[in-house]
């Protein structure tokens, strides 16, 4: 069984080699995923923005004001963008091995480099998209908001960490069981209905609350909104539970990849 070098004791030359490998993988994805698509990175902004506008318009026809504040756009965006960070990272990191499989034949490019490259690049993209959309909504509607940066940055960072954790496990499952990729796509579609994007946890029936509390994304959408609405103080948020839901699939995924990455690459 092959053993990976301990990152903590890497020599400078190995660290430089890893940096070059990660950089090359990121540049390759930037050119293939975005460079060949008409509009490139613009679609990364237009897709979530279109969903936010559609949801806001639909619910503005049914209610005069959203559950928090006065802006339907901001209310939907603060929930949907957190969910998107998780789903994008969970899916993109899950495809890291298959996307970088040709380069993983080289001995200096490891499966860990592929995971890190996808995580770093896609995190930068979703963070930038989130900042642009939220800033654009505030400016467009002339909103006077008091931001709690600690809650906002915590929600975004934890959503990225949760996406990384689930993505590590998905990376093994996507390669070992191809059908899981279709199941993942199906399973994530109804998440915006049960993650606090449309309805606040506080407004849900008690039975739904007792079940949906175990959805970690629900905690993060509440934390995000706490950063944009100072008067909103949700008491159901548990960062310990979110951390548990992040570390367990991450540890399991990394363990399985370490043991079986060669077999997966040879499939």
């Amino acid at each position: 069984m092959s053993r990976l070098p301990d990152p903590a004791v890497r020599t400078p030359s190995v660290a430089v080699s890893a940096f070059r490998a990660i950089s090359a993988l990121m540049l390759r994805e930037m050119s293939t995923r975005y460079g060949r698509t008409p509009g490139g990175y613009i679609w990364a902004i237009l897709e979530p923005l279109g969903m936010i506008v559609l949801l806001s318009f639909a619910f503005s026809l049914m209610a005069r004001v959203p559950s928090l504040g006065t802006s339907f756009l901001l209310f939907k965006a603060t929930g949907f963008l957190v969910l998107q960070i998780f789903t994008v990272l969970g899916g993109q990191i899950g495809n890291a091995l298959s996307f970088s499989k040709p380069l993983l034949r080289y001995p200096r490019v490891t499966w860990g480099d592929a995971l890190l490259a996808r995580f770093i690049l896609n995190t930068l993209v979703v963070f930038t998209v989130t900042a642009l959309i939220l800033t654009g909504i505030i400016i467009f509607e002339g909103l006077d908001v008091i931001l709690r940066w600690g809650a906002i940055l915590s929600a975004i960072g934890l959503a990225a960490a949760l996406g990384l954790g689930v993505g590590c496990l998905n990376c093994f499952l996507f390669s070992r069981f191809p059908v899981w990729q279709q199941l993942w796509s199906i399973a994530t579609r109804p998440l915006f209905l049960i993650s606090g994007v449309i309805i606040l946890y506080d407004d849900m029936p008690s039975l739904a609350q007792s079940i949906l509390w175990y959805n970690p994304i629900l905690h993060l959408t509440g934390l995000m909104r706490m950063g944009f609405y100072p008067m909103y103080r949700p008491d159901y948020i548990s960062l310990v539970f979110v951390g548990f839901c992040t570390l367990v699939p991450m540890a399991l995924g990394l363990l399985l990849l370490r043991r079986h990455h060669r077999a997966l690459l040879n499939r």
Side-chain angles (χ1 to χ4, degrees):
M1 183 186 302
S2 61
R3 299 185 63 184
L4 295 178
D6 186 357
V9 295
R10 274 185 167 178
T11 62
S13 60
V14 175
V16 171
S17 177
F19 175 78
R20 290 175 177 173
I22 293 172
S23 301
L25 290 168
M26 291 174 62
L27 290 173
R28 177 176 180 267
E29 179 165 355
M30 289 172 65
S31 62
T32 55
R33 183 181 172 193
Y34 296 104
R36 299 178 182 178
T37 304
Y41 288 93
I42 296 178
W43 286 111
I45 301 175
L46 293 180
E47 184 177 359
L49 181 59
M51 178 62 73
I52 292 168
V53 171
L54 181 61
L55 288 174
S56 301
F57 176 74
F59 280 85
S60 66
L61 298 177
M62 296 183 289
R64 290 186 177 182
V65 293
S67 300
L68 293 173
T70 58
S71 170
F72 280 97
L73 284 175
L74 185 62
F75 179 76
K76 301 305 179 186
T78 50
F80 182 79
L81 291 173
V82 172
L83 174 61
Q84 183 187 244
I85 292 173
F86 165 74
T87 54
V88 168
L89 292 178
Q92 293 299 324
I93 296 172
N95 285 308
L97 283 188
S98 59
F99 183 82
S100 302
K101 191 172 184 179
L103 294 180
L104 292 175
R105 303 295 181 183
Y106 295 95
R108 291 193 176 184
V109 182
T110 68
W111 59 269
D113 296 332
L115 288 178
L116 283 175
R118 278 228 142 180
F119 173 69
I120 294 172
L121 177 60
N122 287 281
T123 298
L124 291 174
V125 171
V126 293
F127 278 17
T128 302
V129 169
T130 298
L132 289 175
I133 291 179
L134 290 174
T135 303
I137 290 174
I138 293 173
I139 294 175
F140 176 76
E141 295 198 329
L143 302 175
D144 185 14
V145 295
I146 301 175
L147 302 179
R148 301 173 63 186
W149 287 105
I152 294 171
L153 295 178
S154 295
I156 293 175
L158 288 171
L162 183 63
L164 174 62
V166 175
C168 289
L169 182 58
N170 277 344
C171 191
F172 171 79
L173 295 175
F174 284 0
S175 300
R176 182 63 181 85
F177 308 102
V179 69
W180 178 252
Q181 190 163 357
Q182 283 70 41
L183 294 177
W184 165 260
S185 178
I186 295 172
T188 54
R189 288 176 184 174
L191 279 179
F192 78 97
L193 295 174
I194 61 174
S195 300
V197 175
I198 296 177
I199 304 175
L200 287 177
Y201 176 86
D202 314 75
D203 297 334
M204 296 178 182
S206 57
L207 178 59
Q209 288 181 343
S210 62
I211 297 174
L212 296 182
W213 186 90
Y214 295 97
N215 175 6
I217 307 171
L218 191 64
H219 298 251
L220 298 180
T221 55
L223 183 62
M224 184 71 163
R225 288 191 170 120
M226 188 170 67
F228 281 86
Y229 303 95
M231 300 301 294
Y232 181 56
R233 301 297 179 108
D235 58 359
Y236 62 88
I237 296 176
S238 173
L239 300 185
V240 173
F241 175 70
V242 175
F244 175 81
C245 294
T246 298
L247 294 177
V248 170
M250 182 185 296
L252 181 59
L254 292 176
L255 177 63
L256 291 170
L257 287 171
R258 182 174 182 176
R259 292 175 62 91
H260 303 292
H261 67 278
R262 294 189 182 277
L264 295 176
L265 292 174
N266 292 327
R267 287 174 64 87

